[in-house]
Structures are given as C-alpha cells and as structure tokens.
C-alpha cells in the first residue's frame, strides 16, 4: 500500500472514530447527585458552597495542595425526582425507572445545574440530551454514567435520605447492601462524600429519617473508606429547620404547602451548620 493510501485510510479511520465517539462533555470537577431537594432549590446552594471551598474551609498548606487536585473547581449538580441510592445502582425494573422513565405529567424528571457550563437550573429528562445518557439496557445509572469516562469528576458528592428512610431505618442489612453496591459501581479513582439531605417540616418524618441516617452512615463506614460520610441531619439542623414555616413554601394564609422541600435559605443554614464536617470529609477523601 502506498504512503498516500495509508494516509487517506488513517484520515478516514479518525473521521469515523470521531463520528461514533460519545459527545465530549464540559466535565465538572465536582459533581453532586441527589433527589428532588437538589432540583427544587438545594442545587444552587450546593454549587455555591463547593465553589467557595477555599473560603468556607480552614485552609492549611496541606489542604491548599489538595485543592489543586480539583482544578478550577467547576461544580455541577443533578437532582432526580424521588430517587435513592437504590435507584442509581439497580440495572432494570421500576427502581431504575425512577431515574429513566419519562415523567408522564411534565415530560422531565430532573433539575440540573452547571452541566456543560450552564450555571442556571434547567429541567431535563434523564436519558435525553448529550449530557444525560445514564440509561442503558441492563446497566445501572451509575455504571452508565461512569463507563468510559463519560463522567469523570475529581470529587463525587451524594446527598440522599428521604426516599430510603423506611428501607434504611427498618433494615440495617439493606442499608449495607445499598452502600456496598454504590461503592462497587463508583470507580475506585473517584473520591466520594455522602451528605444526608436536609430536614423537612414534620417531626414524625424527621424522626424516621434520623434513624435511617444512622444506618446508612454505619453502612458506608463498614463498606470502605472511599466515601466519607457527613451526618448533616442532626440535632442542630433539625432545631433550625424543623417545624419552621419560614423555611418552606406556603400559601397566602401562611400554611406550609410543601413540607418536603426546604427553601434555599434552609439549605444555606444546613450547609453553614455542617461546614466544618463537610470540609473535613472533603479533604479526608481527597488525601
């Protein structure tokens, strides 16, 4: 084969491989995944917190060096309706459907912040759009999103609790199963922080979630050291947020209409109270 033909063939192969390759994403350095609390206000506050790590945390020379691993600290967040760790780790069926099924009422099931450089919240349907291809046959969402470096953050933050409250509170074994499966499906080179989601309005609901947090925190600690745990759902955050109408959506009469999704002000209070623990978890997992 002549040099000219080799050159032409090589050019064609490059062109074909470029055509069939997955889209190149504007990769976030820090990726936050959660449920509908992220979609309905928490996402923007989490982005602000992690973008400001150098101001929020006590920075020692060692921590300054660790921060350099996070590049420019581009942060993104995705919150998917009533999802849990089980939703993200299950390869098929209705549990996976919480992520991948099209919302019949709205046509979208997630709120995303900072994806592909867009700092604003956009409502999207997982499985549609170049940046959200997490739904493949017989693969969990975690496996699909990390496969081949499709998403490859320097730090992964997971914030879940409410949708698994009964499961984890009533069964330490299932909490341990969810923690193991999560760590099995997150690549070993991706440090992880698990932060319990924010207290809600009703005390009875929070009592159950407090018990669930205890079990999932214990489960993660038994499962390995890849994912540091922040038990942000605690006495201080409950005292600050629980039962306080000012932190929840209300009607004209002042009655709480959405007791499950705290306001951005509540998220800020939650993050402020837990700042030291979150900072410690981030730097410990990045070491």
């Amino acid at each position: 084969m002549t040099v000219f033909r080799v050159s032409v063939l090589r050019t064609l192969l490059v062109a074909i491989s470029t055509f069939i390759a997955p889209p190149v994403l504007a990769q976030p350095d820090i990726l936050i995944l959660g449920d509908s609390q992220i979609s309905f206000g928490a996402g923007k506050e989490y982005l602000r917190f992690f973008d400001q790590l150098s101001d929020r945390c006590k920075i020692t020379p060692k921590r300054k060096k660790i921060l350099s691993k996070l590049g420019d600290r581009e942060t993104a967040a995705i919150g998917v309706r009533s999802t849990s760790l089980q939703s993200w780790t299950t390869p098929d069926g209705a549990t996976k459907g919480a992520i991948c099924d099209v919302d019949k009422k709205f046509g979208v099931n997630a709120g995303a912040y900072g994806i592909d450089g867009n700092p604003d919240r956009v409502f999207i349907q997982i499985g549609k759009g170049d940046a959200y291809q997490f739904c493949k046959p017989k693969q969990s969402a975690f496996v699909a999103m990390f496969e081949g470096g499709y998403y490859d953050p320097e730090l992964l933050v997971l914030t879940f609790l409410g949708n698994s409250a009964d499961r984890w509170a009533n069964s330490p074994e299932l909490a341990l199963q969810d923690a193991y499966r999560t760590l099995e499906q997150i690549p070993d080179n991706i440090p992880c922080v698990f932060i319990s989601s924010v207290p809600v309005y009703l005390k009875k609901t929070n009592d159950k979630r407090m018990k669930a947090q205890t079990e999932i925190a214990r489960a993660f600690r038994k499962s390995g050291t890849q994912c540091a745990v922040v038990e942000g759902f605690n006495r201080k955050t409950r005292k600050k947020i629980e039962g306080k109408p000012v932190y929840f959506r209300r009607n004209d009469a002042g009655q709480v209409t959405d007791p499950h999704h705290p306001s951005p002000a509540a998220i800020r209070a939650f993050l402020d109270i837990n700042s030291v623990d979150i900072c410690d978890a981030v730097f410990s997992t990045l070491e």
Side-chain angles (χ1 to χ4, degrees):
M1 184 178 291
T2 66
V3 173
F4 175 75
R5 288 180 177 174
V6 169
S7 177
V8 170
L9 179 60
R10 188 172 295 151
T11 301
L12 287 172
L13 289 174
V14 169
I16 291 170
S17 64
T18 301
F19 179 76
I20 65 174
V24 176
L25 300 173
Q27 285 277 3
D29 301 301
I30 302 172
L31 177 62
I32 301 154
L33 297 178
D35 55 25
S36 57
Q37 281 198 1
I38 291 291
S39 302
F40 296 134
K44 186 174 182 179
E45 301 306 325
Y46 269 90
L47 261 62
R48 180 180 288 115
F49 183 94
F50 281 95
D51 283 340
Q52 297 173 351
L53 279 178
S54 56
D55 299 320
R56 294 269 191 165
C57 303
K58 181 179 179 180
I59 301 300
T60 63
K62 183 178 181 180
R63 285 186 168 186
K64 185 175 181 180
K65 185 176 181 180
I66 290 172
L67 271 182
S68 66
K69 296 180 181 179
L70 296 178
D72 295 327
R73 289 199 303 283
E74 293 291 333
T75 309
I78 303 172
V80 188
R81 57 180 187 188
S82 300
T83 53
S84 62
L85 291 180
Q86 191 186 14
S87 311
W88 289 84
T89 57
T90 300
D92 49 31
T95 305
K96 178 184 178 181
I99 292 177
C100 295
D101 290 349
V102 176
D103 188 285
K104 294 180 180 179
K105 182 176 181 180
F106 299 105
V108 293
N109 68 350
Y113 303 75
I115 302 296
D116 270 345
N118 184 352
D120 299 320
R121 178 178 62 182
V122 293
F123 288 108
I124 57 93
Q125 172 63 43
I126 297 297
K128 296 183 179 180
D130 290 345
Y132 308 101
Q133 297 304 308
F134 305 162
C135 298
K136 296 182 179 179
K138 301 188 183 302
Q139 283 189 345
S140 72
F142 273 156
V143 170
M145 71 180 293
F146 294 124
E147 188 175 48
Y150 179 67
Y151 269 87
D152 187 25
E154 297 297 326
L155 176 67
L156 176 67
V157 179
L158 304 173
T159 171
F160 295 94
L161 186 60
N163 296 303
S164 291
D166 288 333
R167 177 179 172 87
W168 293 342
N170 296 328
S171 176
E173 294 78 14
L174 290 177
L176 188 61
Q177 181 184 99
D178 288 349
Y180 270 125
R181 285 182 175 173
T182 297
L183 295 182
E184 284 174 354
Q185 295 181 26
I186 296 172
D188 293 340
N189 66 321
I190 297 179
C192 164
V193 175
F194 177 88
I195 305 174
S196 307
S197 55
V198 182
V200 296
Y201 185 68
L202 297 175
K203 178 183 183 300
K204 182 178 180 180
T205 304
N206 287 333
D207 287 345
K208 174 65 68 70
R209 294 187 183 193
M210 195 85 163
K211 185 176 180 182
Q213 176 188 247
T214 298
E215 296 304 335
I216 193 61
R218 182 180 293 129
F220 267 114
R221 290 173 180 133
K222 284 183 178 179
S223 301
T225 58
Q226 183 180 357
C227 196
V229 177
V230 178
E231 296 184 60
F233 196 103
N234 52 46
R235 179 181 59 80
K236 290 182 179 179
T237 55
R238 287 186 67 175
K239 183 178 180 180
K240 181 70 175 178
I241 298 168
E242 181 181 295
K244 306 292 175 57
V246 68
Y247 286 130
F248 296 87
R249 292 177 182 84
R250 290 161 288 162
N251 60 20
D252 292 340
Q255 297 173 319
V256 172
T257 57
D258 183 356
H260 300 295
H261 300 106
S263 69
I267 309 302
R268 288 194 293 273
F270 174 86
L271 292 171
D272 287 344
I273 291 169
N274 291 309
S275 285
V276 172
D277 289 342
I278 295 172
C279 290
D280 289 346
V282 168
F283 287 105
S284 70
T285 197
L286 287 173
E287 286 182 351

